[in-house]
Every structure is written in structure tokens, then in C-alpha cells.
Amino acid sequence: MSEQREFLAQWSVSQGNLRRFLEDLALRPLDDDAQRTAGRAAAAAAVEETFGINLDDFTLGVDSVGGAFATAGRGKITLPDPEIPQDAEAAAFFDVDNTLIQGSSLILLAKGLFRRHFITLSELAPALWKQIRYRVSGSENAADIAEGREQALAVVKGKSVAELKAACKEIVDQQMLRKSYQDTVELAAMHIAAGQQVWLVSATPVQIGQALAEQLGFTGALGTVAEEEDGKFTGRLVGDILHGPGKQHAVAALAALQQLDLSKCTAYSDSINDLPMLEMVGVPVAINPDRKLRRHAKAQGWAIRDFRSVRRVVRAGAAPVAVGVAGAWWWLRRKRR
């Protein structure tokens, strides 16, 4: 298995230059078509056996991870602590929204960009409406996610990459960190203390994930990567949006590049949409789970952690409080009459 992980790591690094990889590492030069066919078949078999996904999905993950690394400027955002023994084959993967921070990182980003005049109210309104629908329904909508992706790409097209990165750092410092679940941060700290890598994996723009990871001392972040050209956003994606299966593809690619043993890894999420990522690791954990994920986690015997104790109390007392307020209002109004 270690040889297979090394093979996939080499293939992932040299993806896009398959001929050189095959000539240098796999087999003697044949004609171009034969080399491409043989190399793709070997990589496809290794990917299928190791991760249970097809090569095209794995390649999307490689593109997403490579784009995230390029955006960060280096393979790891936080260098390992030399005082902590490293378990090079283990890592923990954390979702962001409602797992690490309360609410939607995308909404916080949109509000922050609006205040900084990076986007307009007409560009912000659709995202706010989708968040309201999510709050009411309690579940993510695939159509909303796809539409939101197109809207987000249209919003940033032609805008400055440097300005967005600077804004993301400020928004994380001033708004997001105070919304983080301290219990989740402590869980991540336990993994770091054990010498494991800690990665954020989120559909949110990669710049937000990287700013969060840097502030919290995590290894790095994978997120949705918007293509850049000459310091501006092109309006296209690198790889795929990191949602649902997209997270699975990116984690598989990261595992190949970092030569991680997924059976030693842990993943944390609140959403049933992240089931592909949760099921590919040795230790899946549901944090603040939605109804469907809670049901699935209980059936599978997974650990469940709910850090929304205040929220539960508020929900439990919401109806009596509402009745009391309504009664007081009615009594005061009658008395005035």
C-alpha cells in the first residue's frame, strides 16, 4: 500500500506532464498514445483501489488542491512544529460552516466585502436570500449551491486577487474568529499536539479557509479556487467547487500528494452532504449535525458532538418566551385602551 501511495503521489505531482512521468518512473519509452493509455490505466486502477473514485474525479481534486497550494504560495500554510513529533500518515479534516464557525462563512465574507465596497447590494442580495432559506429549512439545497457558484464567479470576475486576499484576512480577524466554536478549535489542537496535519476543507473560497487556518495554526486549507490571471479573477473555477463529492475528490488528491493513510485520518462535519468525505476516513465525527447526518451517524455508531448547547436552550425556551411576550403586549395594549 505504501508503494501505491508513492505511485499516486508521483502521478499527482506530474499530472499534466504524464509522458515525462512515464518515461522517468514507470516504463521505457513507447509511442505517445501507448504511454498515455498505459499510464492512465495504471493511475485509474490505483485511484479506484485506494479511494473508490474514478480518475476524472481524482484529477479534478488534484486541480483543486494544486490551485489551493498555488493560492497559498506554498504546500503548507503552517509549517510543522519541530517540537512535536509528526505522524506523517495521519491528518484531520474539518468542514468550516457550522462545524468550525457558527453560520455561513460565505455570508460573513459577502457582508464584509459589501462594507469594503468590493461588491454591491444587488450582488449581495441573492446570497442573503439563500441563507435565509437555509436557516428556515435547515438543509442545503443543491440547486442553490450551483447557482451560488455561478453568481460568486460572476461577482469576482475582473476584480483584484490581492484586494480579496487582504479583505479575507480582515474579515476573519474581525468577524469569523469570534464566531468559532472553541470546542472544535480544541479538537483540532489535540490533533496538532499528536503530530497530525489539520486541514480545513470547505466550499467557501479558499482565501477564507487559508486565512482561518493561518490564524488558528492549522496546517492548511482546501476550498473553492477561482482562477487567476494577471492579478485578476477570470470568472472560472480551478478544479471543482468543494462541496459534497468535491471534498472527497480533493481529500483523495491531498492524501496522494501528502502520502496520507486515510484509515488513520479523522473528518468532521455538520452536513449530510459531506458524507463522501466522512465515509472515506477511518474516524468520521458529526459535529452540530443536521437531522439526516445525526440519524446516519447514530446508525453507524459514529461519534456525535454538539456544541450548540446555548442554541438548544434558546430553541427549547423559544415558544414559552414568545407566548409570554405576546401575552404581555396584549395586556399592555388592553390596559392603555
Side-chain angles (χ1 to χ4, degrees), residues 246-311:
K247 291 185 180 182
Q248 180 192 31
H249 307 158
V251 168
L254 181 67
L257 288 163
Q258 299 281 313
Q259 298 193 48
L260 300 172
D261 182 348
L262 288 175
S263 67
K264 296 182 179 181
C265 294
T266 310
Y268 300 87
S269 178
D270 72 300
S271 173
I272 192 66
N273 293 308
D274 287 341
L275 204 56
M277 178 179 73
L278 291 167
E279 289 183 331
M280 73 189 301
V281 299
V283 185
V285 181
I287 290 185
N288 307 328
D290 59 28
R291 289 187 296 273
K292 290 182 179 179
L293 180 59
R294 182 181 291 275
R295 192 181 310 123
H296 184 86
K298 283 184 176 179
Q300 297 298 318
W302 295 353
I304 299 174
R305 301 284 183 267
D306 200 325
F307 303 141
R308 300 167 297 181
S309 56
V310 173
R311 185 177 174 184

Side-chain angles (χ1 to χ4, degrees), residues 104-225:
S104 168
S105 57
L106 191 59
I107 294 299
L108 292 173
L109 172 62
K111 290 179 180 177
L113 293 179
F114 172 70
R115 293 192 186 104
R116 290 162 176 80
H117 308 291
F118 193 87
I119 60 175
T120 65
L121 183 59
S122 62
E123 294 168 333
L124 174 62
L128 290 174
W129 170 240
K130 288 181 179 61
Q131 182 64 8
I132 291 171
R133 290 207 303 190
Y134 169 70
R135 287 295 186 184
V136 172
S137 67
S139 62
E140 296 170 309
N141 183 292
D144 280 350
I145 292 164
E147 185 181 353
R149 171 185 61 190
E150 299 304 321
Q151 290 171 341
L153 289 172
V155 165
V156 301
K157 183 177 180 179
K159 294 184 178 177
S160 167
V161 174
E163 287 182 19
L164 180 66
K165 284 185 177 180
C168 285
K169 288 185 178 180
E170 290 181 4
I171 292 166
V172 165
D173 288 345
Q174 297 171 10
Q175 295 176 262
M176 289 192 187
L177 288 179
R178 60 186 173 84
K179 286 183 169 287
S180 62
Y181 289 106
Q182 190 58 37
D183 297 277
T184 304
V185 174
E186 290 174 3
L187 280 175
M190 290 172 59
H191 287 282
I192 293 173
Q196 299 181 15
Q197 298 183 31
V198 172
W199 291 86
L200 298 179
V201 186
S202 173
T204 198
V206 69
Q207 291 83 3
I208 280 290
Q210 289 168 349
L212 276 167
E214 190 167 14
Q215 285 294 331
L216 294 169
F218 298 168
T219 310
L222 303 179
T224 300
V225 182

Side-chain angles (χ1 to χ4, degrees), residues 65-128:
V65 171
F69 282 3
T71 302
R74 54 190 183 276
K76 293 180 180 178
I77 296 175
T78 303
L79 295 176
D81 187 338
E83 300 298 322
I84 299 176
Q86 299 293 297
D87 184 350
E89 292 186 325
F93 306 104
F94 286 84
D95 175 44
V96 172
D97 293 359
N98 295 312
T99 302
L100 175 65
I101 68 169
Q102 181 181 354
S104 168
S105 57
L106 191 59
I107 294 299
L108 292 173
L109 172 62
K111 290 179 180 177
L113 293 179
F114 172 70
R115 293 192 186 104
R116 290 162 176 80
H117 308 291
F118 193 87
I119 60 175
T120 65
L121 183 59
S122 62
E123 294 168 333
L124 174 62
L128 290 174

